[in-house]
Amino acid sequence: MKNALLAIPLLATGVLIAGCAASSTSTTATAGTGAGTSGASTSATSGVSAATTTASPGTGTSAAASGTPACTSADLQVSLGGGDGAGMSQNHTGLQLKNIGSSACALYGYPGVSWVAGADGHQVGPAAVRQPDSTGSAEKTVILAPGALASAPLDIVDAAVFSPSACKPVPVRGLRVYPPGEKAALFLSLPTQAGGYGECSGATPDAELSIGYLQAGVQPGGGGAG
């Protein structure tokens, strides 16, 4: 089940070319390495490379309009952190993008996120739906100095709450993440634990993944049980 999946450590991860939880401690995926065993990196060809997907890149026009170059996938490192943490049937966390480049860059809008599985990195289930904003604020361009990060609220519903006949759960390798406006994706290793339930490959009445727009800093909340 998802709570078992979220409790295991993340592995090494990498940047993908092509269509592509949780504790208070951030878990990271660094650009330039492939998926491998904990503490070790392997070549990108052993990761989820050259895979097709129906997930769409996020918006990114206003980042370019800010006068600061838009962040590219090569500038960024993806991780999970912040948010309210795991509840009874879902996890409320933050999808974090950190500027690992040597100069400032800009982000605007929603990342694209989906589960992936198999050696070919095929997409599992629908891509994350966009969360409506309930705060009355609006999307803003986030300027990231080197070492700074932006985050978007990410909700992951436990696949076990859905009917197995509708959900059709399958084991997954992790999340494919498109920074806004990018066609090169980042991969965050988050595999189903051996014997775990997996993630939904079929249509479910409610979205299993939902993502908000990027904001400066870590998502508020202690990351504990909610």
PDB file of all heavy atoms in Angstrom, residues 168-191:
ATOM      1  N   LYS A 168      -6.732  -1.195 -11.231  1.00  0.00           N
ATOM      2  CA  LYS A 168      -5.770  -2.059 -11.934  1.00  0.00           C
ATOM      3  C   LYS A 168      -4.339  -1.724 -11.512  1.00  0.00           C
ATOM      4  O   LYS A 168      -3.516  -1.284 -12.318  1.00  0.00           O
ATOM      5  CB  LYS A 168      -5.928  -1.931 -13.452  1.00  0.00           C
ATOM      6  CG  LYS A 168      -7.300  -2.354 -13.974  1.00  0.00           C
ATOM      7  CD  LYS A 168      -7.371  -2.205 -15.492  1.00  0.00           C
ATOM      8  CE  LYS A 168      -8.697  -2.699 -16.040  1.00  0.00           C
ATOM      9  NZ  LYS A 168      -9.847  -1.904 -15.554  1.00  0.00           N
ATOM     10  N   PRO A 169      -4.000  -1.926 -10.231  1.00  0.00           N
ATOM     11  CA  PRO A 169      -2.689  -1.504  -9.728  1.00  0.00           C
ATOM     12  C   PRO A 169      -1.531  -2.288 -10.334  1.00  0.00           C
ATOM     13  O   PRO A 169      -1.641  -3.495 -10.582  1.00  0.00           O
ATOM     14  CB  PRO A 169      -2.795  -1.777  -8.226  1.00  0.00           C
ATOM     15  CG  PRO A 169      -3.820  -2.859  -8.108  1.00  0.00           C
ATOM     16  CD  PRO A 169      -4.810  -2.593  -9.200  1.00  0.00           C
ATOM     17  N   VAL A 170      -0.447  -1.578 -10.600  1.00  0.00           N
ATOM     18  CA  VAL A 170       0.791  -2.195 -11.088  1.00  0.00           C
ATOM     19  C   VAL A 170       1.958  -1.567 -10.327  1.00  0.00           C
ATOM     20  O   VAL A 170       1.889  -0.414  -9.894  1.00  0.00           O
ATOM     21  CB  VAL A 170       0.980  -1.987 -12.604  1.00  0.00           C
ATOM     22  CG1 VAL A 170      -0.112  -2.689 -13.398  1.00  0.00           C
ATOM     23  CG2 VAL A 170       1.020  -0.502 -12.951  1.00  0.00           C
ATOM     24  N   PRO A 171       3.070  -2.304 -10.145  1.00  0.00           N
ATOM     25  CA  PRO A 171       4.254  -1.724  -9.503  1.00  0.00           C
ATOM     26  C   PRO A 171       4.816  -0.585 -10.354  1.00  0.00           C
ATOM     27  O   PRO A 171       4.747  -0.619 -11.580  1.00  0.00           O
ATOM     28  CB  PRO A 171       5.233  -2.902  -9.442  1.00  0.00           C
ATOM     29  CG  PRO A 171       4.393  -4.119  -9.593  1.00  0.00           C
ATOM     30  CD  PRO A 171       3.250  -3.725 -10.467  1.00  0.00           C
ATOM     31  N   VAL A 172       5.358   0.423  -9.699  1.00  0.00           N
ATOM     32  CA  VAL A 172       5.946   1.567 -10.404  1.00  0.00           C
ATOM     33  C   VAL A 172       7.393   1.774  -9.965  1.00  0.00           C
ATOM     34  O   VAL A 172       7.830   1.253  -8.941  1.00  0.00           O
ATOM     35  CB  VAL A 172       5.141   2.857 -10.159  1.00  0.00           C
ATOM     36  CG1 VAL A 172       3.755   2.745 -10.770  1.00  0.00           C
ATOM     37  CG2 VAL A 172       5.053   3.173  -8.667  1.00  0.00           C
ATOM     38  N   ARG A 173       8.109   2.548 -10.766  1.00  0.00           N
ATOM     39  CA  ARG A 173       9.502   2.871 -10.454  1.00  0.00           C
ATOM     40  C   ARG A 173       9.656   4.237  -9.805  1.00  0.00           C
ATOM     41  O   ARG A 173      10.612   4.486  -9.083  1.00  0.00           O
ATOM     42  CB  ARG A 173      10.343   2.829 -11.735  1.00  0.00           C
ATOM     43  CG  ARG A 173      10.425   1.451 -12.360  1.00  0.00           C
ATOM     44  CD  ARG A 173      11.321   1.464 -13.582  1.00  0.00           C
ATOM     45  NE  ARG A 173      12.676   1.855 -13.230  1.00  0.00           N
ATOM     46  CZ  ARG A 173      13.622   2.129 -14.121  1.00  0.00           C
ATOM     47  NH1 ARG A 173      13.347   2.070 -15.412  1.00  0.00           N
ATOM     48  NH2 ARG A 173      14.826   2.469 -13.734  1.00  0.00           N
ATOM     49  N   GLY A 174       8.730   5.131 -10.095  1.00  0.00           N
ATOM     50  CA  GLY A 174       8.844   6.471  -9.527  1.00  0.00           C
ATOM     51  C   GLY A 174       8.037   7.470 -10.314  1.00  0.00           C
ATOM     52  O   GLY A 174       7.107   7.119 -11.047  1.00  0.00           O
ATOM     53  N   LEU A 175       8.400   8.750 -10.169  1.00  0.00           N
ATOM     54  CA  LEU A 175       7.675   9.849 -10.795  1.00  0.00           C
ATOM     55  C   LEU A 175       8.508  10.496 -11.897  1.00  0.00           C
ATOM     56  O   LEU A 175       9.698  10.782 -11.702  1.00  0.00           O
ATOM     57  CB  LEU A 175       7.326  10.918  -9.755  1.00  0.00           C
ATOM     58  CG  LEU A 175       6.323  10.513  -8.668  1.00  0.00           C
ATOM     59  CD1 LEU A 175       6.282  11.582  -7.578  1.00  0.00           C
ATOM     60  CD2 LEU A 175       4.937  10.285  -9.250  1.00  0.00           C
ATOM     61  N   ARG A 176       7.879  10.730 -13.019  1.00  0.00           N
ATOM     62  CA  ARG A 176       8.495  11.535 -14.068  1.00  0.00           C
ATOM     63  C   ARG A 176       7.976  12.946 -13.913  1.00  0.00           C
ATOM     64  O   ARG A 176       6.767  13.165 -13.793  1.00  0.00           O
ATOM     65  CB  ARG A 176       8.148  10.968 -15.450  1.00  0.00           C
ATOM     66  CG  ARG A 176       8.744  11.801 -16.596  1.00  0.00           C
ATOM     67  CD  ARG A 176       8.467  11.161 -17.951  1.00  0.00           C
ATOM     68  NE  ARG A 176       9.304  10.003 -18.145  1.00  0.00           N
ATOM     69  CZ  ARG A 176       8.854   8.804 -18.471  1.00  0.00           C
ATOM     70  NH1 ARG A 176       7.561   8.595 -18.601  1.00  0.00           N
ATOM     71  NH2 ARG A 176       9.679   7.801 -18.648  1.00  0.00           N
ATOM     72  N   VAL A 177       8.898  13.912 -13.917  1.00  0.00           N
ATOM     73  CA  VAL A 177       8.546  15.305 -13.620  1.00  0.00           C
ATOM     74  C   VAL A 177       9.034  16.213 -14.741  1.00  0.00           C
ATOM     75  O   VAL A 177      10.228  16.222 -15.075  1.00  0.00           O
ATOM     76  CB  VAL A 177       9.177  15.758 -12.283  1.00  0.00           C
ATOM     77  CG1 VAL A 177       8.860  17.221 -12.009  1.00  0.00           C
ATOM     78  CG2 VAL A 177       8.712  14.863 -11.138  1.00  0.00           C
ATOM     79  N   TYR A 178       8.116  16.965 -15.312  1.00  0.00           N
ATOM     80  CA  TYR A 178       8.451  18.007 -16.284  1.00  0.00           C
ATOM     81  C   TYR A 178       8.493  19.351 -15.584  1.00  0.00           C
ATOM     82  O   TYR A 178       7.456  19.830 -15.100  1.00  0.00           O
ATOM     83  CB  TYR A 178       7.378  18.108 -17.362  1.00  0.00           C
ATOM     84  CG  TYR A 178       7.426  17.091 -18.459  1.00  0.00           C
ATOM     85  CD1 TYR A 178       6.379  16.183 -18.611  1.00  0.00           C
ATOM     86  CD2 TYR A 178       8.482  17.051 -19.356  1.00  0.00           C
ATOM     87  CE1 TYR A 178       6.386  15.258 -19.637  1.00  0.00           C
ATOM     88  CE2 TYR A 178       8.501  16.130 -20.383  1.00  0.00           C
ATOM     89  CZ  TYR A 178       7.462  15.239 -20.518  1.00  0.00           C
ATOM     90  OH  TYR A 178       7.472  14.322 -21.534  1.00  0.00           O
ATOM     91  N   PRO A 179       9.619  20.036 -15.523  1.00  0.00           N
ATOM     92  CA  PRO A 179       9.587  21.440 -15.098  1.00  0.00           C
ATOM     93  C   PRO A 179       8.728  22.237 -16.088  1.00  0.00           C
ATOM     94  O   PRO A 179       8.597  21.852 -17.256  1.00  0.00           O
ATOM     95  CB  PRO A 179      11.059  21.871 -15.168  1.00  0.00           C
ATOM     96  CG  PRO A 179      11.828  20.590 -15.055  1.00  0.00           C
ATOM     97  CD  PRO A 179      10.991  19.567 -15.777  1.00  0.00           C
ATOM     98  N   PRO A 180       8.123  23.337 -15.649  1.00  0.00           N
ATOM     99  CA  PRO A 180       7.262  24.113 -16.541  1.00  0.00           C
ATOM    100  C   PRO A 180       7.964  24.507 -17.842  1.00  0.00           C
ATOM    101  O   PRO A 180       9.099  24.998 -17.820  1.00  0.00           O
ATOM    102  CB  PRO A 180       6.922  25.357 -15.713  1.00  0.00           C
ATOM    103  CG  PRO A 180       7.000  24.879 -14.302  1.00  0.00           C
ATOM    104  CD  PRO A 180       8.138  23.902 -14.284  1.00  0.00           C
ATOM    105  N   GLY A 181       7.297  24.254 -18.953  1.00  0.00           N
ATOM    106  CA  GLY A 181       7.806  24.642 -20.254  1.00  0.00           C
ATOM    107  C   GLY A 181       8.882  23.752 -20.826  1.00  0.00           C
ATOM    108  O   GLY A 181       9.337  23.975 -21.950  1.00  0.00           O
ATOM    109  N   GLU A 182       9.289  22.712 -20.103  1.00  0.00           N
ATOM    110  CA  GLU A 182      10.378  21.845 -20.540  1.00  0.00           C
ATOM    111  C   GLU A 182       9.857  20.560 -21.188  1.00  0.00           C
ATOM    112  O   GLU A 182       8.819  20.028 -20.801  1.00  0.00           O
ATOM    113  CB  GLU A 182      11.279  21.469 -19.359  1.00  0.00           C
ATOM    114  CG  GLU A 182      12.206  22.588 -18.933  1.00  0.00           C
ATOM    115  CD  GLU A 182      13.285  22.858 -19.962  1.00  0.00           C
ATOM    116  OE1 GLU A 182      14.224  22.044 -20.084  1.00  0.00           O
ATOM    117  OE2 GLU A 182      13.179  23.888 -20.658  1.00  0.00           O
ATOM    118  N   LYS A 183      10.616  20.055 -22.156  1.00  0.00           N
ATOM    119  CA  LYS A 183      10.301  18.771 -22.777  1.00  0.00           C
ATOM    120  C   LYS A 183      11.252  17.672 -22.325  1.00  0.00           C
ATOM    121  O   LYS A 183      11.067  16.501 -22.657  1.00  0.00           O
ATOM    122  CB  LYS A 183      10.339  18.905 -24.301  1.00  0.00           C
ATOM    123  CG  LYS A 183       9.245  19.818 -24.841  1.00  0.00           C
ATOM    124  CD  LYS A 183       9.278  19.898 -26.353  1.00  0.00           C
ATOM    125  CE  LYS A 183       8.158  20.794 -26.866  1.00  0.00           C
ATOM    126  NZ  LYS A 183       8.164  20.894 -28.354  1.00  0.00           N
ATOM    127  N   ALA A 184      12.291  18.053 -21.595  1.00  0.00           N
ATOM    128  CA  ALA A 184      13.177  17.075 -20.964  1.00  0.00           C
ATOM    129  C   ALA A 184      12.692  16.883 -19.538  1.00  0.00           C
ATOM    130  O   ALA A 184      12.415  17.848 -18.829  1.00  0.00           O
ATOM    131  CB  ALA A 184      14.620  17.572 -20.967  1.00  0.00           C
ATOM    132  N   ALA A 185      12.558  15.630 -19.126  1.00  0.00           N
ATOM    133  CA  ALA A 185      11.954  15.342 -17.833  1.00  0.00           C
ATOM    134  C   ALA A 185      12.988  14.897 -16.816  1.00  0.00           C
ATOM    135  O   ALA A 185      14.047  14.369 -17.162  1.00  0.00           O
ATOM    136  CB  ALA A 185      10.886  14.260 -17.989  1.00  0.00           C
ATOM    137  N   LEU A 186      12.668  15.110 -15.557  1.00  0.00           N
ATOM    138  CA  LEU A 186      13.453  14.599 -14.436  1.00  0.00           C
ATOM    139  C   LEU A 186      12.769  13.347 -13.899  1.00  0.00           C
ATOM    140  O   LEU A 186      11.541  13.224 -13.982  1.00  0.00           O
ATOM    141  CB  LEU A 186      13.542  15.654 -13.327  1.00  0.00           C
ATOM    142  CG  LEU A 186      14.077  17.020 -13.730  1.00  0.00           C
ATOM    143  CD1 LEU A 186      13.946  18.004 -12.563  1.00  0.00           C
ATOM    144  CD2 LEU A 186      15.523  16.916 -14.156  1.00  0.00           C
ATOM    145  N   PHE A 187      13.530  12.433 -13.356  1.00  0.00           N
ATOM    146  CA  PHE A 187      12.975  11.199 -12.792  1.00  0.00           C
ATOM    147  C   PHE A 187      13.278  11.144 -11.306  1.00  0.00           C
ATOM    148  O   PHE A 187      14.412  11.314 -10.885  1.00  0.00           O
ATOM    149  CB  PHE A 187      13.576   9.985 -13.499  1.00  0.00           C
ATOM    150  CG  PHE A 187      13.201   8.668 -12.875  1.00  0.00           C
ATOM    151  CD1 PHE A 187      11.901   8.199 -12.929  1.00  0.00           C
ATOM    152  CD2 PHE A 187      14.149   7.898 -12.226  1.00  0.00           C
ATOM    153  CE1 PHE A 187      11.547   6.992 -12.356  1.00  0.00           C
ATOM    154  CE2 PHE A 187      13.814   6.687 -11.640  1.00  0.00           C
ATOM    155  CZ  PHE A 187      12.502   6.230 -11.715  1.00  0.00           C
ATOM    156  N   LEU A 188      12.240  10.921 -10.511  1.00  0.00           N
ATOM    157  CA  LEU A 188      12.376  10.780  -9.070  1.00  0.00           C
ATOM    158  C   LEU A 188      12.051   9.345  -8.696  1.00  0.00           C
ATOM    159  O   LEU A 188      10.911   8.894  -8.839  1.00  0.00           O
ATOM    160  CB  LEU A 188      11.429  11.744  -8.349  1.00  0.00           C
ATOM    161  CG  LEU A 188      11.484  11.736  -6.819  1.00  0.00           C
ATOM    162  CD1 LEU A 188      12.857  12.183  -6.326  1.00  0.00           C
ATOM    163  CD2 LEU A 188      10.405  12.638  -6.237  1.00  0.00           C
ATOM    164  N   SER A 189      13.049   8.595  -8.252  1.00  0.00           N
ATOM    165  CA  SER A 189      12.848   7.191  -7.933  1.00  0.00           C
ATOM    166  C   SER A 189      11.989   7.041  -6.687  1.00  0.00           C
ATOM    167  O   SER A 189      12.310   7.565  -5.631  1.00  0.00           O
ATOM    168  CB  SER A 189      14.210   6.510  -7.715  1.00  0.00           C
ATOM    169  OG  SER A 189      14.045   5.142  -7.435  1.00  0.00           O
ATOM    170  N   LEU A 190      10.873   6.356  -6.811  1.00  0.00           N
ATOM    171  CA  LEU A 190       9.949   6.128  -5.708  1.00  0.00           C
ATOM    172  C   LEU A 190       9.252   4.794  -5.978  1.00  0.00           C
ATOM    173  O   LEU A 190       8.059   4.728  -6.251  1.00  0.00           O
ATOM    174  CB  LEU A 190       8.936   7.270  -5.634  1.00  0.00           C
ATOM    175  CG  LEU A 190       8.124   7.406  -4.344  1.00  0.00           C
ATOM    176  CD1 LEU A 190       9.022   7.723  -3.155  1.00  0.00           C
ATOM    177  CD2 LEU A 190       7.060   8.483  -4.494  1.00  0.00           C
ATOM    178  N   PRO A 191      10.010   3.698  -5.922  1.00  0.00           N
ATOM    179  CA  PRO A 191       9.462   2.412  -6.359  1.00  0.00           C
ATOM    180  C   PRO A 191       8.491   1.794  -5.371  1.00  0.00           C
ATOM    181  O   PRO A 191       8.580   2.020  -4.168  1.00  0.00           O
ATOM    182  CB  PRO A 191      10.720   1.546  -6.503  1.00  0.00           C
ATOM    183  CG  PRO A 191      11.685   2.123  -5.512  1.00  0.00           C
ATOM    184  CD  PRO A 191      11.422   3.604  -5.512  1.00  0.00           C
TER     185      PRO A 191
END
